Amino acid sequence: FFSHYCYCFPPQNMVREVLTINVGQCGIQLGHEIWNEYCWEHHIDAHGNRARNTANDIPLCFFDESDSGKFVPRTLMVDLEPNVIDDIRGPLYHPEFLISGNEDAANCFARGHYTVGRGVIEQVDDRIRKLVDNCDNLQGFMMNHSVGGGTGAGLGALILERLSVNYRKKCKFGCEVYPSPKISTAVVEPYNALLATHWL
């Protein structure tokens, strides 16, 4: 019985990595603030360097340590227009995992899911595959996005659809931002939210 128990469960010190996917303006801004908190908690500066006098716990669940000793977030940032990506671009994030298009979804679920979003989904799939290949024991995915906008709702649902097919046995955790009935930037937000919720 004891030998069977040892083989069934991974060693206690094995890292279970979590990949974060941030989609659309809201998802990227939310994800950027979350990464700032992770860096503060683990004493990592804006360049990925960790303070020398910190504890021995290495944050490899959310960060990947490069050969030079820098900590790089295990994250993918995706938007259909470049402005938000350009705002958060810096030495902390790997540039290969910052994907932006040239035409936004214009607050339309159909454009994010069926037309403009389809143009970047193969690139997104490729980058997710690279992130997964860099993991030893992937635990799952965490996704930040809004379901009121076109990119967060449409492209976010498309990415979730691909994840459910390609990585169906992995956990998926979503931080969805729903539109408010009192504060709205577009009249179609309730429709986007309804269509996106179908894929959650």
Side-chain angles (χ1 to χ4, degrees):
F1 172 76
F2 181 74
S3 61
H4 177 72
Y5 176 82
C6 290
Y7 285 115
C8 287
F9 297 98
Q12 294 297 319
N13 60 353
M14 182 177 283
V15 176
R16 302 287 311 273
E17 299 94 347
V18 176
L19 303 181
T20 307
I21 303 171
N22 310 286
V23 184
Q25 178 180 351
C26 176
I28 291 170
Q29 290 173 340
L30 176 63
H32 181 62
E33 292 303 318
I34 290 172
W35 282 110
N36 285 339
E37 289 296 318
Y38 287 162
C39 288
W40 176 81
E41 182 179 339
H42 294 289
H43 309 286
I44 297 171
D45 65 18
H47 295 274
N49 299 312
R50 194 158 189 241
R52 294 176 186 265
N53 58 351
T54 55
N56 292 328
D57 60 324
I58 301 174
L60 295 180
C61 178
F62 292 108
F63 290 90
D64 186 22
E65 188 174 9
S66 67
D67 294 335
S68 61
K70 292 192 174 186
F71 289 89
V72 182
R74 297 181 189 273
T75 188
L76 177 66
M77 307 260 188
V78 186
D79 200 3
L80 294 178
E81 57 98 18
N83 294 338
V84 182
I85 294 281
D86 291 342
D87 288 343
I88 59 99
R89 191 181 303 274
L92 181 65
Y93 303 110
H94 194 294
E96 187 179 7
F97 300 108
L98 302 176
I99 300 174
S100 60
N102 297 320
E103 182 183 3
D104 69 359
N107 289 321
C108 179
F109 176 89
R111 284 175 58 85
H113 195 272
Y114 296 108
T115 58
V116 183
R118 294 271 176 194
V120 299
I121 192 63
E122 296 304 325
Q123 187 181 11
V124 171
D125 279 347
D126 179 64
R127 296 304 187 274
I128 292 174
R129 197 173 302 112
K130 285 185 178 182
L131 285 169
V132 171
D133 289 344
N134 285 337
C135 296
D136 294 325
N137 188 18
L138 178 65
Q139 181 175 349
F141 301 90
M142 186 167 68
M143 188 171 205
N144 301 313
H145 64 121
S146 166
V147 295
T151 304
L155 181 58
L158 185 58
I159 293 172
L160 284 171
E161 181 183 351
R162 292 293 181 98
L163 289 177
S164 66
V165 171
N166 297 334
Y167 309 98
R168 66 181 184 274
K169 292 186 178 180
K170 300 299 180 184
C171 298
K172 288 119 190 134
F173 175 76
C175 295
E176 285 82 22
V177 178
Y178 275 82
S180 168
K182 295 183 179 178
I183 302 171
S184 179
T185 58
V187 294
V188 293
E189 282 184 355
Y191 299 102
N192 292 335
L194 181 64
L195 293 166
T197 301
H198 173 73
W199 298 97
L200 301 181

